[in-house]
Amino acid sequence: MVAEQDPMLPRRYRVIRAWEELQGVSTMQLAPVDGEPVPFLPGQFNMLYAFGIGEIAVSISGNAADTDQLVHTTRSVGLVSDAVTRLREGDMLGVRGPFGAPWPVAEQTGRHIVFVAGGLGLAPLRPAIYHVLANRQDYAGLTIVYGARAPEELLYAEELKAWKSRFDTEVEVTVDHAQPGWTGAVGVVTTVLDRALAGNDGGNISAFLCGPEIMMRFGAKSLAIAGVPDERMWVSLERNMKCAVGFCGHCQFGPDFVCRDGPVFRQDRVARLLAMKEI
């Protein structure tokens, strides 16, 4: 049993393994220096602290059933994230968490699960995908729709191939801009999403979306047209999170704080606000 931790105090973790996924994007496996990893639920995030530099919020991208390690995929977009992506085996960092509302995927048994991801949005969804794959007999169907800007920017490309090879899983992948040798779909995510939804009973679908907000808005529209009610759609929002516990107000989104009330929200709760550019 893990002792309760002060949410404002980071624990020391050591990098067990680190590798580059894409240019500027790396994944690392972490283990605590003292004690055991804190269990998490798919969709939750941790605050990663690069000692002497700063702290950032990063979704957990590993398997929640694997309690021996913690996995994070991070893109270098600033000072702290650049430092995190440069960590290598043996390096240490601080970890606070896990925080936030998870994907309610375990509560959707008996339903057809649809995952819609864009770009790095596949990382926060991956723990939920792992859960459904491990319990595939409990769900009526599984569809994964993923889009990236170009073939060389497909995240977890080998896993996508493995998922697509399963007879019980439909995987649709598209890119915005094709290059010589690419034989897959070309176009925005909603193009392949509409095709994947055709012939399915929208009333029995539960959908989980993560990626650029414009993609989630149009993805939700496609799902609604297919008959999926808003209360059966969930989106993961990204805002500038600092404290992770709803104190500082940096991530306020209307009446909610993304760190405390999200990052996963039911679509009917945030649809109106997502349509407002200033929010």
Side-chain angles (χ1 to χ4, degrees):
M1 177 126 179
V2 179
E4 185 175 349
Q5 299 286 320
D6 184 333
M8 301 307 292
L9 293 178
R11 292 179 64 194
R12 290 184 305 158
Y13 274 69
R14 192 181 305 277
V15 178
I16 303 303
R17 182 171 169 247
W19 63 95
E20 186 177 68
E21 297 280 359
L22 309 168
Q23 184 175 359
V25 178
S26 68
T27 295
M28 56 185 178
Q29 296 175 346
L30 308 173
V33 174
D34 301 304
E36 298 180 358
V38 179
F40 72 93
L41 295 172
Q44 291 189 301
F45 68 94
N46 282 323
M47 299 298 295
L48 304 184
Y49 177 47
F51 295 118
I53 300 176
E55 191 179 49
I56 55 170
V58 181
S59 294
I60 305 170
S61 57
N63 193 339
D66 185 353
T67 58
D68 293 332
Q69 60 186 6
L70 192 60
V71 178
H72 284 284
T73 297
T74 309
R75 184 192 299 276
S76 175
V77 293
L79 186 64
V80 183
S81 58
D82 182 66
V84 170
T85 58
R86 292 177 183 274
L87 292 172
R88 294 295 178 261
E89 181 178 338
D91 291 339
M92 287 198 298
L93 74 165
V95 177
R96 290 196 293 125
F99 299 108
W103 300 110
V105 66
E107 292 75 39
Q108 308 307 311
T109 54
R111 305 183 65 81
H112 185 140
I113 305 301
V114 175
F115 293 106
V116 185
L120 210 63
L122 186 58
L125 281 170
R126 190 166 68 157
I129 294 173
Y130 284 154
H131 177 86
V132 176
L133 289 172
N135 300 277
R136 183 61 186 82
Q137 70 282 357
D138 296 334
Y139 298 90
L142 172 58
T143 299
I144 302 169
V145 178
Y146 176 54
R149 285 181 290 186
E152 66 272 15
E153 296 187 36
L154 291 172
L155 186 64
Y156 311 138
E158 292 305 313
E159 277 193 298
L160 286 168
K161 293 178 183 177
W163 297 340
K164 194 167 187 175
S165 70
R166 293 176 59 120
F167 72 92
D168 58 356
T169 302
E170 180 183 3
V171 178
E172 297 285 351
V173 178
T174 185
V175 297
D176 294 340
H177 306 288
Q179 296 179 353
W182 174 253
T183 58
V186 179
V188 295
V189 168
T190 49
T191 302
V192 291
L193 175 59
D194 291 339
R195 184 167 66 240
L197 292 173
N200 286 300
D201 176 14
N204 194 43
I205 288 176
S206 292
F208 304 87
L209 302 89
C210 188
E213 288 187 6
I214 188 170
M215 181 222 77
M216 292 193 292
R217 287 202 304 270
F218 282 97
K221 287 183 179 180
S222 291
L223 288 160
I225 291 171
V228 183
D230 279 357
E231 59 268 24
R232 288 293 182 181
M233 302 182 212
W234 288 266
V235 299
S236 181
L237 302 184
E238 182 178 352
R239 289 296 185 274
N240 185 18
M241 292 183 272
K242 293 294 185 182
C243 70
V245 291
F247 288 164
C248 72
H250 277 80
C251 65
Q252 186 168 4
F253 185 72
D256 298 312
F257 293 99
V258 173
C259 69
R260 183 193 65 195
D261 305 307
V264 174
F265 291 92
R266 209 169 71 175
Q267 171 67 5
D268 57 349
R269 181 172 174 177
V270 297
R272 183 181 62 84
L273 292 176
L274 278 176
M276 300 181 183
K277 291 183 180 180
E278 65 271 21
I279 303 293

Coordinates of all heavy atoms in Angstrom, one line a residue, residues 1-9 11 38-39 97:
M1 N 0.8 -1.2 0.0 CA 0.0 0.0 0.0 C 0.9 1.3 0.0 O 1.8 1.4 0.8 CB -0.9 0.0 1.2 CG -1.7 1.3 1.3 SD -3.5 0.8 1.5 CE -4.2 2.4 1.6
V2 N 0.6 2.1 -0.9 CA 1.4 3.4 -1.1 C 0.9 4.4 -0.1 O -0.3 4.7 0.0 CB 1.4 3.9 -2.5 CG1 2.2 5.2 -2.6 CG2 1.9 2.9 -3.5
A3 N 1.8 5.0 0.7 CA 1.4 6.0 1.7 C 0.9 7.2 0.9 O 1.4 7.6 -0.2 CB 2.6 6.4 2.5
E4 N 0.0 7.9 1.5 CA -0.6 9.1 0.9 C 0.5 10.2 0.8 O 1.2 10.5 1.7 CB -1.8 9.6 1.7 CG -2.5 10.8 1.0 CD -3.7 11.2 1.8 OE1 -4.2 10.5 2.7 OE2 -4.3 12.3 1.4
Q5 N 0.6 10.8 -0.4 CA 1.6 11.8 -0.7 C 1.0 13.2 -0.7 O -0.1 13.4 -1.0 CB 2.3 11.5 -2.0 CG 3.0 10.2 -2.2 CD 4.3 10.1 -1.4 OE1 5.0 11.1 -1.4 NE2 4.5 9.0 -0.7
D6 N 1.8 14.2 -0.2 CA 1.5 15.6 -0.4 C 1.4 15.9 -1.8 O 2.4 15.7 -2.5 CB 2.5 16.4 0.4 CG 2.1 17.9 0.4 OD1 1.4 18.3 -0.6 OD2 2.6 18.6 1.3
P7 N 0.3 16.3 -2.4 CA 0.2 16.5 -3.8 C 1.1 17.6 -4.4 O 1.3 17.7 -5.6 CB -1.3 16.9 -4.0 CG -1.7 17.4 -2.7 CD -1.0 16.6 -1.7
M8 N 1.6 18.5 -3.5 CA 2.5 19.5 -3.9 C 4.0 19.2 -3.8 O 4.9 19.9 -4.2 CB 2.3 20.8 -3.0 CG 0.8 21.3 -3.1 SD 0.2 21.6 -4.8 CE 1.2 22.9 -5.3
L9 N 4.3 18.0 -3.3 CA 5.7 17.5 -3.2 C 6.0 16.4 -4.2 O 5.4 15.4 -4.2 CB 6.0 17.0 -1.8 CG 5.9 18.0 -0.6 CD1 6.2 17.3 0.7 CD2 6.9 19.2 -0.9
R11 N 7.9 13.3 -6.0 CA 8.7 12.1 -5.6 C 9.8 12.0 -6.6 O 9.6 12.3 -7.8 CB 7.9 10.8 -5.6 CG 6.8 10.8 -4.5 CD 6.1 9.5 -4.6 NE 6.9 8.3 -4.4 CZ 6.5 7.1 -4.7 NH1 5.4 6.8 -5.3 NH2 7.4 6.0 -4.5
V38 N 2.8 5.0 -8.0 CA 1.4 5.2 -7.6 C 0.5 4.8 -8.7 O 0.7 5.2 -9.9 CB 1.2 6.7 -7.3 CG1 -0.2 7.0 -6.8 CG2 2.2 7.2 -6.2
P39 N -0.5 4.0 -8.4 CA -1.4 3.5 -9.5 C -2.1 4.7 -10.1 O -2.3 5.8 -9.5 CB -2.4 2.7 -8.7 CG -1.7 2.3 -7.4 CD -0.8 3.4 -7.1
G97 N 1.7 13.4 -8.7 CA 0.5 12.8 -9.3 C 0.2 11.4 -8.9 O 0.9 10.9 -8.0

